[in-house]
Amino acid sequence: MMTIKLKCRKGFLSRLVILFTIIITFYAKAQNAEAFNQIYTKTYLEISQKDFQKALTIADSLYTVSETPRFKAKSLMLSASLLQQSGEFKSAVEYALKAEKILEDTDDYVWKAKISGFLATQYRHLGLFDQSKKYIDETVEIIKNINDPRLVNQTSGFLMQEKAYYEIEQKNYKQSIQLVNEASRYFSLTRQENPFLSANNEQLLGLNYYHLGNYAKAMDYYQKALNKLNQMPDNFLKALVLNGMAKIYIEQKDPKRAKPLIDKAQQLAEESPYLSLKNEIYQSSQQYYALIKDIENLELSKHKQDSVKEKISSKTSAFINESYTNLKKDSEKNQKQSAQKSIIIILFLSVLTALIFYFLIYRRRQKQKFRKIEQILKELEQKNVSAPMESDETEQPDHQENEMISPDETEDTETEPQALMTAATEKKILGKLDRFEQTTLFTRSNVSLPYVAAYCSTNTKYLSYVVNTYKKKDFKNYINELRVKHIIHKLKNDSQYHKYKISSLAEEAGFSSQSKFAAAFRKVTDVSPSEFLDHLKSQHLN
């Protein structure tokens, strides 16, 4: 047990030393674009084919020591590319999305386009073609922001390659060939020879012509690609080219020429972590072993392919299921939030509409009320009403009847004309009433129909008839109107009255309560005493 623990510790310390050495080695180089690109290319094409874990460690180390968003994003994309080869689609996409986030607030449109193109590739591998197409379209839009013509051509070339792969998935091989030729044209415009990119295009053309059944042309392009790839370390693309050439010989029933090609391709596939590459090579191997009737190796290749397919399927299904689950959750959440927002908006609009409607009605009523107030004030001015005389003993009626009825409590209902009353009598009573209106006797709490009749030297029936006929109201409302207009006169001409409480104004006018005063005031003016007072105060301030 002690021996096992010591070995584990030594293994851990060994990995720690390797990691520390890598970080120290790459720190200075990670900040230099040319040195960074050399490490990136070597790790992706060479180291990853021999030691996948070491390649991932280098990628993580590059990210750790990178100081700028561009280098950090490139380091993440190196990890994403390696993880994609091993079938870790979920992690690959997560790294790419993290890189996308890092560059979000930058103007590094070149790498933004590369990341978007990478995501298009991943969704294409997963069979999510609508999502892949979305990222292709997004890449097209990003490229429009790149100013450097060389970088525009380079990025456009990558985009054409991705579109070509997309068309191959859709079995549109002729369309794919056109896109590959477009990619080659864009790469040539950069005036920078890149053997790997050229070989990739040749391999794509070979693949398309193979599917079209033009084996001579396919072999020609595969050979061109192989000539370029033989100048660099072995990599997954070389395995694909060898495999393509082997498949042509298999189709031509020429196992002798196919054998060295399939053997080499299988060797590279075994060394590579690239699951899709393994799946492709094992499929070709089965075709080769079936051709030479090698049942044992046929079964072995089939078993290997089934194992790879299971890994790809499990990782792909897990990613798709999680993506759809998250998409469904996001959709349900968005729908719920949208429904809640809709309800809130509807409620808000309903309340707002109601408030606006109420406000408009309120404003309309206020304007009507204020017009009525102004009309009353104008009438007072037109009549040139002076301040009423203070009552004295000489203004008392010659006699008072025993029954005293307060006009704010009951109404007189006697309205029939008196047959014996002459026009002269009516005129006399009206004259007396005009004089009565110039006094403040109507503010007394005990003023009544008999009291005023005595003041006018007539009887209650004659007075009631004159009031109803000429004042257009019964006795009670006649007295209440005089009281209200008396208070209006005071409020208009003496600002000291603005300080009075409503109860004090009611008492001043002769009402027995504030509520009766308010009711009478509203009946005469259509507004409450407080509204009238506020209006006068505002006019006074202006």
Side-chain angles (χ1 to χ4, degrees):
M1 181 67 69
M2 183 64 70
T3 303
I4 294 173
K5 288 183 178 180
L6 287 172
K7 286 182 178 179
C8 290
R9 288 178 182 176
K10 286 180 180 179
F12 173 75
L13 288 173
S14 176
R15 288 194 297 272
L16 190 64
V17 169
I18 292 172
L19 177 61
F20 180 75
T21 303
I22 290 172
I23 292 174
I24 295 297
T25 303
F26 291 142
Y27 179 74
K29 293 184 178 180
Q31 313 313 317
N32 179 277
E34 186 176 350
F36 185 98
N37 290 335
Q38 289 177 355
I39 296 172
Y40 188 104
T41 303
K42 184 177 178 65
T43 303
Y44 180 66
L45 293 178
E46 186 176 344
I47 298 177
S48 65
Q49 307 302 308
K50 305 295 184 183
D51 190 338
F52 183 73
Q53 289 302 321
K54 182 179 179 181
L56 280 178
T57 301
I58 292 173
D60 288 339
S61 299
L62 282 174
Y63 176 77
T64 301
V65 299
S66 293
E67 295 180 351
T68 65
R70 182 184 181 86
F71 285 134
K72 284 183 177 294
K74 289 178 69 173
S75 302
L76 289 170
M77 290 308 297
L78 175 57
S79 295
S81 299
L82 295 172
L83 289 165
Q84 175 258 324
Q85 289 185 14
S86 65
E88 298 291 342
F89 301 110
K90 180 176 181 296
S91 297
V93 170
E94 287 175 351
Y95 271 84
L97 292 175
K98 185 176 179 181
E100 185 180 49
K101 184 72 175 174
I102 287 175
L103 296 179
E104 189 174 43
D105 297 326
T106 72
D107 58 356
D108 193 343
Y109 296 110
V110 173
W111 270 94
K112 283 183 179 181
K114 289 182 179 180
I115 294 169
S116 183
F118 177 85
L119 288 168
T121 301
Q122 303 320 299
Y123 286 112
R124 173 173 55 78
H125 285 318
L126 292 165
L128 301 175
F129 298 114
D130 288 342
Q131 194 75 354
S132 176
K133 183 67 165 56
K134 171 194 165 188
Y135 276 104
I136 286 175
D137 294 339
E138 183 179 301
T139 307
V140 171
E141 293 302 313
I142 295 174
I143 291 174
K144 293 178 182 178
N145 295 298
I146 302 174
N147 296 321
D148 187 334
R150 183 182 64 81
L151 295 176
V152 169
N153 290 323
Q154 183 187 75
T155 311
S156 297
F158 287 128
L159 179 61
M160 292 302 109
Q161 279 188 342
E162 174 53 34
K163 285 186 174 183
Y165 279 116
Y166 180 87
E167 295 300 335
I168 290 174
E169 296 285 354
Q170 305 300 314
K171 302 187 186 307
N172 297 326
Y173 304 117
K174 291 182 179 180
Q175 180 65 26
S176 177
I177 290 171
Q178 291 178 10
L179 289 166
V180 175
N181 289 330
E182 275 292 290
S184 297
R185 184 179 69 82
Y186 278 119
F187 287 138
S188 66
L189 290 174
T190 64
R191 302 186 183 284
Q192 286 186 334
E193 179 62 25
N194 188 319
F196 184 80
L197 292 179
S198 298
N200 196 9
N201 277 351
E202 305 289 357
Q203 184 266 333
L204 274 172
L205 289 171
L207 180 60
N208 278 300
Y209 281 110
Y210 167 79
H211 284 298
L212 290 171
N214 191 338
Y215 300 137
K217 212 163 190 179
M219 183 62 76
D220 182 50
Y221 282 114
Y222 276 137
Q223 190 60 59
K224 289 179 181 178
L226 186 61
N227 292 339
K228 291 181 172 64
L229 291 169
N230 282 335
Q231 302 173 22
M232 57 186 79
D234 290 344
N235 53 66
F236 69 91
L237 185 59
K238 185 175 183 178
L240 287 173
V241 170
L242 293 170
N243 183 66
M245 297 173 75
K247 287 174 70 174
I248 292 173
Y249 287 129
I250 292 170
E251 291 291 339
Q252 294 175 338
K253 312 299 183 185
D254 190 348
K256 186 175 181 180
R257 291 187 178 183
K259 185 179 188 315
L261 298 170
I262 203 72
D263 287 345
K264 182 61 176 179
Q266 196 164 357
Q267 177 196 339
L268 294 175
E270 296 286 355
E271 295 173 351
S272 173
Y274 206 156
L275 292 181
S276 295
L277 174 65
K278 291 178 186 290
N279 182 58
E280 182 75 18
I281 302 301
Y282 293 148
Q283 177 64 36
S284 300
S285 296
Q286 290 175 62
Q287 293 173 352
Y288 169 74
Y289 292 126
L291 179 63
I292 63 173
K293 297 180 173 53
D294 187 342
I295 305 303
E296 183 178 350
N297 281 317
L298 175 63
E299 290 296 328
L300 180 61
S301 291
K302 189 175 186 308
H303 177 72
K304 288 181 179 180
Q305 185 185 31
D306 289 342
S307 176
V308 169
K309 279 185 175 181
E310 185 177 348
K311 288 180 182 179
I312 294 174
S313 178
S314 63
K315 292 179 180 181
T316 301
S317 299
F319 177 79
I320 292 175
N321 290 336
E322 183 175 340
S323 297
Y324 276 120
T325 300
N326 292 335
L327 188 62
K328 185 177 180 182
K329 287 180 179 178
D330 290 341
S331 178
E332 290 174 351
K333 183 179 178 182
N334 290 335
Q335 288 179 358
K336 186 176 180 181
Q337 289 177 343
S338 179
Q340 291 174 343
K341 286 180 181 178
S342 297
I343 292 172
I344 292 172
I345 290 172
I346 291 172
L347 289 175
F348 174 77
L349 290 176
S350 299
V351 172
L352 182 62
T353 302
L355 288 173
I356 292 173
F357 184 70
Y358 173 79
F359 177 74
L360 291 175
I361 293 176
Y362 173 78
R363 289 288 296 172
R364 184 179 178 183
R365 289 179 178 175
Q366 286 296 99
K367 287 180 179 179
Q368 291 174 344
K369 290 176 180 179
F370 291 149
R371 280 198 294 268
K372 184 69 179 290
I373 293 172
E374 294 297 332
Q375 183 182 349
I376 293 170
L377 295 175
K378 189 176 182 181
E379 288 174 357
L380 288 174
E381 290 177 1
Q382 288 175 347
K383 290 181 179 181
N384 195 22
V385 180
S386 59
M389 298 181 298
E390 294 299 326
S391 62
D392 53 34
E393 294 300 321
T394 62
E395 295 299 326
Q396 296 297 328
D398 295 333
H399 64 279
Q400 295 187 16
E401 297 185 16
N402 293 330
E403 186 181 6
M404 303 298 287
I405 304 173
S406 177
D408 65 348
E409 295 175 358
T410 63
E411 289 193 27
D412 174 63
T413 59
E414 184 65 57
T415 62
E416 294 182 1
Q418 304 302 309
L420 299 177
M421 185 170 58
T422 64
T425 302
E426 288 183 8
K427 185 176 181 181
K428 181 181 177 182
I429 293 172
L430 285 170
K432 287 281 188 177
L433 279 178
D434 287 341
R435 187 175 180 186
F436 173 75
E437 290 172 4
Q438 299 301 314
T439 72
T440 58
L441 293 174
F442 51 78
T443 64
R444 293 186 177 185
S445 60
N446 62 352
V447 68
S448 64
L449 182 61
Y451 179 92
V452 179
Y455 181 90
C456 296
S457 302
T458 187
N459 58 55
T460 57
K461 291 183 178 180
Y462 279 14
L463 178 62
S464 180
Y465 170 76
V466 170
V467 170
N468 276 274
T469 302
Y470 293 96
K471 303 300 180 180
K472 305 299 181 184
K473 54 185 69 68
D474 60 39
F475 181 75
K476 172 192 170 183
N477 288 315
Y478 168 66
I479 294 299
N480 284 346
E481 183 174 305
L482 290 176
R483 289 174 171 179
V484 169
K485 288 186 176 180
H486 168 68
I487 289 299
I488 290 175
H489 180 83
K490 290 289 187 183
L491 290 169
K492 182 175 184 298
N493 293 286
D494 189 350
S495 60
Q496 289 299 317
Y497 274 79
H498 297 178
K499 301 176 183 178
Y500 283 24
K501 293 182 179 179
I502 303 300
S503 59
S504 299
L505 294 175
E507 185 179 352
E508 173 84 10
F511 288 91
S512 59
S513 70
Q514 178 177 329
S515 62
K516 290 177 179 178
F517 168 63
F521 198 99
R522 187 178 288 277
K523 190 168 185 178
V524 174
T525 65
D526 284 340
V527 297
S528 67
S530 58
E531 288 175 324
F532 187 89
L533 191 57
D534 290 339
H535 178 70
L536 286 180
K537 287 178 180 179
S538 65
Q539 295 294 103
H540 181 72
L541 291 173
N542 293 335

